[in-house]
Amino acid sequence: MKTLSPAITGLILVLAASPPNARAWESKDEKPTLCVGNYQTEAEAVLQLKRMAATYSNLEEWKARAAKIRRQILVGAKLDPLPERTPLNSIVRNKRSYKGYTVEAAAFEARPGYLVYGNLYRPLDRKGPHAGILCPHGHARGRDGGRLRSEQQHRCATLARMGAVVFSYDMVGFGDSEHFGWNHTHPQALTLQTWSSIRAIDFLQSLPDVDDDRIGVTGCSGGGTQTFLLTAVDDRVKVAVPVVMVSAHFFGGCHCESGMPIHKTALLETNNVEIAALCAPRPLKLISVGGDWTKNTPKVEYPYIRNIFSYYDKASQVEYSHFPDEGHGYQLSKRQAMYPFMVKHLKLDSEGVLDTKTGVYDETGNVIEEVDLMRTFDNDNPLPKHALKPGSLIQF
Ligand SMILES: [Zn+2]
């Protein structure tokens, strides 16, 4: 056997001692670049899309590129290899019954002792199995921020009334996560939220009344980022509706969206348009507005993604609804644009919710709950004793 030089032996020892997640960038030349917020201008974004489009010209070449993008997301998010699936120890309780649906407290452990808090909305008096839909939320704050917002409650309740089991869950440091002392500045936010979304599918699929083959996800703004990141890395998602977030020039301004090197390394440059396109050929709907970074969707982002779907002969599976006079958020108009897409592709039943004459999905029967009622744990139902202390670094 040849003798290795001390330098090479040292390098091998360093690599062998490194955790698996650190192996992607082994030289300075491969150091990644963070693309944060408005990392590039709209004109630069168009040029970048051209550069990226020049790297493939058929389905086989796109699939090869898609695999590289998927891997870069997982490596950048420190989820490569994917962590072990530890016991969820899920908790579902405190059922409230309303007209056509129920709401329960729901929580599970994404990692041992690391809890994901949320609410489970279920159809009432409908025969299952039901479609399952994840509803991550954006960065809106306040006592009723995040999953506690009335807009989010309406979205979940309406989907449940049409036959879906819906899980609405906190970002790190929002809702109950904030209530129990966690802060959104947690350095692992992107890793934790992406892994929590993957485990949220595990949670939905662990429920006896959920059809494993009908899983959807929809969220707005930061929840839109979670929507397309989850869809990109987990093919159990069958339908995705990211709202006001897919943009060629804007990469997300929070460290939970762009604080880790998922977009640009020496090996590959990509952006959120391509990441959203990893949904292909699964149905994808973009919802965009004139008042934020999604203003160019009809002429920039949508055509780029549609071209990728066309390689699969599935161009009709990608749609968009653009609201040129509206601003950021998941208000009623955008929910009305999302509902028919979920009904169509997840085989929901809109009878009793959709007014077929006006085309409006009725939300007036939904009950908007008070924050205290939506908590997952309280004095009567305390946090598990082994719950990790707020701010703990999570072992992967
Ligand atoms: Zn964030």
Side-chain angles (χ1 to χ4, degrees):
M1 186 181 157
K2 277 170 74 175
T3 305
L4 297 174
S5 76
I8 292 176
T9 308
L11 177 64
I12 290 171
L13 286 175
V14 167
L15 292 176
S18 301
N21 296 333
R23 73 182 176 221
W25 302 291
E26 291 160 5
S27 77
K28 278 185 187 167
D29 295 340
E30 293 183 17
K31 215 167 170 212
T33 303
L34 284 184
C35 305
V36 178
N38 285 300
Y39 173 72
Q40 57 193 6
T41 65
E42 292 171 39
E44 287 166 345
V46 169
L47 291 176
Q48 186 192 37
L49 290 177
K50 277 188 183 159
R51 283 198 304 278
M52 297 190 311
T55 65
Y56 58 90
S57 58
N58 56 50
L59 180 58
E60 196 181 335
E61 289 172 1
W62 163 252
K63 281 184 175 175
R65 180 172 175 83
K68 287 180 193 165
I69 297 169
R70 191 171 290 118
R71 177 166 165 70
Q72 181 162 291
I73 294 168
L74 290 172
V75 170
K78 298 195 174 183
L79 288 170
D80 179 73
L82 282 176
E84 181 193 347
R85 248 78 166 187
T86 49
L88 289 169
N89 299 326
S90 53
I91 293 165
V92 179
R93 62 162 172 250
N94 190 21
K95 183 180 282 188
R96 290 86 74 183
S97 295
Y98 303 117
K99 194 178 170 191
Y101 72 105
T102 63
V103 188
E104 290 159 279
F108 63 82
E109 293 177 36
R111 294 293 294 162
Y114 179 75
L115 285 142
V116 175
Y117 310 89
N119 291 106
L120 195 63
Y121 297 72
R122 281 170 148 152
L124 186 62
D125 299 330
R126 279 185 186 267
K127 201 164 167 278
H130 307 293
I133 299 177
L134 293 182
C135 282
H137 65 77
H139 289 92
R141 281 284 181 190
R143 179 170 156 76
D144 59 349
R147 85 169 207 279
L148 308 170
R149 304 189 83 203
S150 58
E151 288 179 350
Q152 179 112 350
Q153 294 190 49
H154 271 307
R155 176 180 8 143
C156 299
T158 308
L159 289 168
R161 285 166 53 219
M162 295 194 289
V165 173
V166 183
F167 183 54
S168 174
Y169 54 113
D170 291 336
M171 283 189 188
V172 183
F174 279 77
D176 286 8
S177 175
E178 179 184 33
H179 184 66
F180 292 117
W182 293 80
N183 195 311
H184 194 56
T185 57
H186 193 289
Q188 293 174 293
L190 198 160
T191 310
L192 288 172
Q193 290 176 188
T194 305
W195 181 243
S196 295
S197 292
I198 292 171
R199 296 309 319 264
I201 300 182
D202 294 343
F203 168 60
L204 278 181
Q205 292 188 337
S206 75
L207 301 172
D209 52 346
V210 169
D211 179 351
D212 291 356
D213 294 326
R214 286 188 291 150
I215 301 292
V217 56
T218 182
C220 138
S221 194
T225 301
Q226 293 183 71
T227 296
F228 57 68
L229 287 181
L230 173 65
T231 304
V233 301
D234 197 321
D235 60 12
R236 294 176 299 173
V237 173
K238 302 303 182 199
V239 187
V241 184
V243 177
V244 294
M245 199 60 224
V246 177
S247 170
H249 64 276
F250 185 75
F251 288 74
C254 183
H255 73 299
C256 81
E257 307 176 279
S258 54
M260 297 178 89
I262 60 173
H263 295 108
K264 193 169 185 177
T265 69
L267 303 174
L268 181 77
E269 63 166 342
T270 189
N271 62 26
N272 289 340
V273 183
E274 278 204 316
I275 291 175
L278 291 181
C279 189
R282 299 165 288 167
L284 171 71
K285 179 157 191 173
L286 309 175
I287 296 178
S288 56
V289 295
D292 68 16
W293 44 78
T294 60
K295 62 183 181 178
N296 300 324
T297 295
K299 62 182 187 348
V300 176
E301 286 84 1
Y302 168 72
Y304 189 92
I305 295 173
R306 189 178 187 280
N307 180 56
I308 289 164
F309 273 75
S310 72
Y311 288 139
Y312 294 87
D313 288 326
K314 296 278 187 186
S316 62
Q317 297 282 69
V318 57
E319 298 180 12
Y320 74 92
S321 287
H322 187 63
F323 299 88
D325 300 323
E326 295 196 23
H328 200 60
Y330 211 153
Q331 300 88 344
L332 179 63
S333 57
K334 288 100 172 199
R335 298 196 295 275
Q336 295 286 335
M338 173 271 289
Y339 293 139
F341 199 73
M342 288 295 192
V343 168
K344 179 177 165 186
H345 292 290
L346 291 177
K347 299 184 175 60
L348 306 184
D349 176 7
S350 60
E351 193 176 337
V353 176
L354 171 65
D355 182 332
T356 51
K357 284 183 190 150
T358 61
V360 173
Y361 291 77
D362 178 28
E363 293 189 338
T364 58
N366 299 343
V367 173
I368 301 305
E369 294 188 325
E370 293 297 323
V371 169
D372 289 343
L373 186 57
M374 297 178 74
R375 297 284 183 212
T376 43
F377 298 95
D378 54 31
N379 291 338
D380 296 332
N381 301 286
L383 274 171
K385 284 200 169 58
H386 66 285
L388 293 172
K389 285 203 182 100
S392 298
L393 286 178
I394 312 303
Q395 299 296 316
F396 277 92

